[in-house]
Amino acid sequence: MDLPPLPAIDPEHLFLKLGLSPAVVAAVAEKGYSQPTPIQERAIPIVLSGRDLIGTAQTGTGKTAAFALPILHKLGAHGPCRCLILEPTRELALQVEEAFRNYGKFTGLRVAVVYGGVGYGKQREEVQRGVDVIVATPGRLLDLLGDGTIKLGDLQVLVLDEVDRMLDMGFLPDVRRIIRHVPAQRQTLLFSATLPPEIQGLAQSVLTNPDTIEIGIRSSPADTIDHAFYPVVAAQKFELLSTLLERTEYKSVLVFTRTKIGADKIAHRLHALGHKTGVMHADRSQRERTEALDGFKAGKFQMLIATDVAARGLDIRNVSHVVNYDMPENPEDYVHRIGRTGRANTEGDAYTLMTEDDIRNARAIERLIGRQVPRRKIENFNYLFSALFEEREKADLAPKTVSRLSRGKR
Ligand code: AMP
């Protein structure tokens, strides 16, 4: 395989000072990173030292490079498969594979990605050609371990990424099964936004004397995101969305809905208004999902309508606006969803439509992030509600009164 020639790099480049090889730093410099992010500053020396690591970090903090760069440095030159990264979703696996390819372009190291929902042929071929790094989702990896296509006997580094998401998706038993295929002598890195007891249990059994780093305040959106709730009655949600879009200068908008049918409907209606839209949810085929995501990234679609499959961890550049068409039921999803904008210190806006039924969820979000989210109304919009909405919200602040009232009504 022909390697591109190594470009000259500034000997003062801060990533060189972290101890990374010129081949790795050249790729970083080419990406235009001049300063390591806090998680990179702290994680890179730990990973280089060979110690196990537990990292809790918000999305958009530069976590992928924090583990990819030192791993590529350690692997050095092409050899047997020595690194496995487990990801909860195909999209994340593809994204991390791409990061490894980019950061490793001057190293000659080979990367393969393995995920379900598509044929086996290409993935098998790729692995059989000989790869240094495999990025995989658990189910397909187990298949390819089972039929002997993948062997992990030479593994040196295991990365368990987005482990809280793997827990949510019921993958932890698969993760444990996979770990039985890897040598006990290895370095293990575990990344998770939160560390509930199940994950602490996993960490205890699969990591040895790990270092721990925690970046940012967990469960709070980045300061670069301007976010607000937009109260509206359910019947006017779409009208408010289209008015907001009309009055906003956006580059690209990610719209979240609660249901798959909702996503299809909204996409259809926005399309009818002349917007170029892509749709992403679990009922779409892998090909359709990839097309929607690639089209959105490339600017072919200015809007991507998605359910929470797209919410976590996906690194979509230059999302200028996130709209929660439906308020998320799980407050942590709010942080994940709006975290799709304002990434790596760029600015972003997030609008959340809020109906009367969302008041409790809105409060749960505010409790989680520890502050009030401003309520905004837009000018010259023919709002159907007035005092009613505000009354409900006040009543909701006094649960005893509400329960007395509702008992009375029954
Ligand atoms: P991640 O948290 O790994 O999803 O990364 C979020 C975004 O930050 C990605 O688009 C990276 O390309 C970008 N990024 C990572 N490290 C740096 C850095 N040191 N300087 C600027 N951007 C970065």
Side-chain angles (χ1 to χ4, degrees):
M1 194 173 57
D2 285 340
L3 271 186
L6 196 62
I9 40 174
D10 174 3
E12 296 298 308
H13 200 287
L14 291 174
F15 281 85
L16 274 179
K17 305 225 145 133
L18 284 173
L20 295 168
S21 59
V24 173
V25 180
V28 167
E30 207 176 77
K31 292 280 284 176
Y33 309 168
S34 51
Q35 184 117 22
T37 65
I39 191 170
Q40 290 163 4
E41 203 151 39
R42 295 186 50 200
I44 289 172
I46 296 172
V47 181
L48 289 176
S49 78
R51 285 196 64 174
D52 284 2
L53 173 69
I54 299 176
T56 48
Q58 286 175 251
T59 56
T61 51
K63 178 180 55 139
T64 314
F67 64 80
L69 301 177
I71 287 174
L72 290 163
H73 168 103
K74 281 156 68 99
L75 296 179
H78 179 54
C81 179
R82 285 157 297 157
C83 174
L84 170 68
I85 296 129
L86 290 181
E87 294 290 340
T89 65
R90 315 163 222 200
E91 283 80 11
L92 280 166
L94 281 163
Q95 186 175 295
V96 169
E97 180 221 20
E98 196 188 336
F100 266 83
R101 271 189 211 284
N102 283 331
Y103 299 141
K105 67 185 279 196
F106 300 112
T107 63
L109 292 163
R110 297 189 204 157
V111 192
V113 65
V114 157
Y115 53 85
V118 293
Y120 284 76
K122 226 177 111 207
Q123 294 179 3
R124 263 202 199 104
E125 266 170 40
E126 205 169 355
V127 169
Q128 279 160 347
R129 269 205 298 271
V131 289
D132 302 277
V133 178
I134 293 178
V135 187
T137 55
R140 177 60 61 94
L141 178 69
L142 278 169
D143 289 350
L144 295 182
L145 282 169
D147 71 9
T149 305
I150 293 181
K151 295 193 176 67
L152 297 173
D154 290 308
L155 201 87
Q156 294 172 359
V157 190
L158 171 68
V159 181
L160 308 176
D161 195 21
E162 302 271 335
V163 179
D164 51 339
R165 185 75 171 138
M166 297 219 240
L167 169 71
D168 289 350
M169 295 171 77
F171 286 161
L172 289 200
D174 280 354
V175 171
R176 287 183 184 276
R177 238 167 264 144
I178 289 164
I179 291 174
R180 285 189 216 126
H181 291 259
V182 306
Q185 262 302 347
R186 60 163 195 269
Q187 181 178 27
T188 309
L189 316 175
L190 182 154
F191 294 93
S192 188
T194 55
L195 291 178
E198 295 94 325
I199 296 180
Q200 287 176 23
L202 177 80
Q204 239 165 26
S205 59
V206 304
L207 279 81
T208 311
N209 191 19
D211 250 319
T212 304
I213 48 183
E214 195 175 316
I215 296 295
I217 314 151
R218 268 183 272 153
S219 311
S220 75
D223 293 338
T224 48
I225 303 170
D226 179 33
H227 55 116
F229 291 159
Y230 287 78
V232 66
V233 290
Q236 281 188 306
K237 278 172 95 172
F238 187 78
E239 199 183 334
L240 186 72
L241 169 71
S242 58
T243 312
L244 272 168
L245 292 173
E246 254 168 45
R247 298 194 193 167
T248 306
E249 264 188 49
Y250 55 82
K251 272 194 260 156
S252 55
V253 189
L254 190 51
V255 180
F256 284 105
T257 61
R258 194 169 291 157
T259 64
K260 296 174 252 187
I261 294 175
D264 284 332
K265 267 196 198 145
I266 301 301
H268 185 74
R269 293 180 73 180
L270 287 172
H271 184 76
L273 291 178
H275 297 291
K276 295 198 168 72
T277 56
V279 188
M280 216 174 129
H281 59 63
D283 280 356
R284 295 269 163 155
S285 70
Q286 185 53 34
R287 191 179 54 77
E288 287 171 322
R289 283 162 66 168
T290 308
E291 264 173 26
L293 188 60
D294 288 350
F296 185 62
K297 282 182 173 173
K300 188 172 142 204
F301 307 124
Q302 273 191 313
M303 293 177 195
L304 184 67
I305 324 301
T307 57
D308 281 305
V309 286
R312 290 198 185 220
L314 283 190
D315 180 27
I316 305 174
R317 279 189 166 267
N318 303 325
V319 174
S320 62
H321 292 76
V322 167
V323 179
N324 289 314
Y325 187 79
D326 298 312
M327 170 115 24
E329 283 168 337
N330 171 1
E332 279 170 8
D333 283 337
Y334 180 77
V335 182
H336 286 292
R337 286 183 184 185
I338 74 170
R340 300 308 93 214
T341 184
R343 288 174 79 69
N345 293 332
T346 58
E347 308 230 318
D349 289 290
Y351 308 143
T352 299
L353 306 195
M354 174 187 176
T355 68
E356 288 183 64
D357 292 338
D358 296 324
I359 291 171
R360 273 173 198 285
N361 288 334
R363 294 219 181 290
I365 288 167
E366 292 178 321
R367 264 197 306 278
L368 177 80
I369 66 174
R371 68 182 121 126
Q372 269 246 314
V373 178
R375 292 356 184 213
R376 290 202 191 130
K377 280 187 181 177
I378 57 174
E379 305 263 313
N380 302 323
F381 180 80
N382 195 15
Y383 280 105
L384 283 180
F385 73 91
S386 56
L388 171 73
F389 194 86
E390 273 118 49
E391 280 302 301
R392 253 300 282 271
E393 187 155 19
K394 269 191 222 120
D396 207 60
L397 278 170
K400 280 187 192 125
T401 326
V402 171
S403 56
R404 254 206 318 275
L405 279 178
S406 50
R407 263 204 303 278
K409 266 192 214 145
R410 260 185 238 140

